[in-house]
């Protein structure tokens, strides 16, 4: 079961654990979006067994959410670059793809900046090695930029079943 937590304004906030859901329910901080889900969850919590499928809960009071700072880690880079080598355009599985520093760290490139890291296939990464793209005839397909999408978009990319449930919720709201 996946639990999607919405702000009181219905903005998606996060995916939370069952344990966290029970804590929030106990503290009366959240409400279920519909009666059927509430009943199913109440029965499940009483029986210590959680319902199947997606549960959406909503905070009773709006909280202020600061802009999330996403880090340029491998997982976020794969999302930003759509699992696509930024040099040759090869679309691969995560196992086939590597993280490449456009300007190599050994030559003064930033190790941890969105603008200096891209997803590259192993072939291009090997070809590029410790050089700049232009030195080996490679060209970036687009300028690397920070991942600026809403955090909710990232949640939904990771949990497509929550996106479907959220869309259904908005359709009836
Ligand atoms: Zn490539």
């Amino acid at each position: 079961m996946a639990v999607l937590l919405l702000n009181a304004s219905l903005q998606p906030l996060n995916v939370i654990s069952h344990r966290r859901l029970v804590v929030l329910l106990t503290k009366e901080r959240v409400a279920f979006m519909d009666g059927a889900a509430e009943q199913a969850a109440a029965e499940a919590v009483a029986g210590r067994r959680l319902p199947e499928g997606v549960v959406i809960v909503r905070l009773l009071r709006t909280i202020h959410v600061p802009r999330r700072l996403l880090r340029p880690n491998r997982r976020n880079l794969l999302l930003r670059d759509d699992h696509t080598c930024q040099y040759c355009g090869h679309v691969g599985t995560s196992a086939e793809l590597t993280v490449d520093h456009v300007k190599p760290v050994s030559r003064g490139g930033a190790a941890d900046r969105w603008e200096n890291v891209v997803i590259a296939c192993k072939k291009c990464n090997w070809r590029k090695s410790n050089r700049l793209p232009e030195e080996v005839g490679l060209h970036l397909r687009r300028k690397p930029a920070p991942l600026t999408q809403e955090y909710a978009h990232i949640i939904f990319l990771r949990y497509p079943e929550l996106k479907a449930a959220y869309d259904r919720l908005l359709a009836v709201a």
Side-chain angles (χ1 to χ4, degrees), residues 47-132:
R48 296 191 173 277
R49 183 185 55 78
L50 286 153
E52 299 292 315
V54 172
V55 167
I56 302 180
V57 293
R58 171 187 183 178
L59 286 174
L60 295 173
R61 292 170 59 179
T62 301
I63 57 165
H64 173 69
V65 185
R67 265 188 95 83
R68 305 263 181 164
L69 293 176
L70 294 174
R71 294 185 58 74
N73 57 29
R74 181 180 162 81
R75 189 176 61 185
N76 287 334
L77 286 167
L78 284 165
L79 281 174
R80 184 195 68 180
D81 293 346
D82 304 320
H83 282 72
T84 304
C85 174
Q86 294 301 294
Y87 297 110
C88 73
H90 173 75
V91 178
T93 65
S94 43
E96 294 172 311
L97 298 167
T98 64
V99 173
D100 175 63
H101 292 91
V102 179
K103 183 179 183 184
V105 176
S106 61
R107 294 174 60 174
D112 198 21
R113 284 190 60 89
W114 283 104
E115 294 81 359
N116 194 45
V117 278
V118 294
I119 291 299
C121 71
K122 287 178 178 168
K123 200 172 157 186
C124 287
N125 205 336
W126 179 81
R127 175 172 161 195
K128 188 168 163 292
S129 184
N130 197 27
R131 286 169 289 186
L132 297 172

Side-chain angles (χ1 to χ4, degrees), residues 2 8 14 24 26 33 39 81 86 91 99 108 111 114 127 140 150 170 173:
N14 212 341
L24 289 172
T26 307
M33 294 307 296
Q39 194 175 350
D81 293 346
Q86 294 301 294
V91 178
V99 173
W114 283 104
R127 175 172 161 195
L140 284 171
E150 287 288 312
L170 292 190

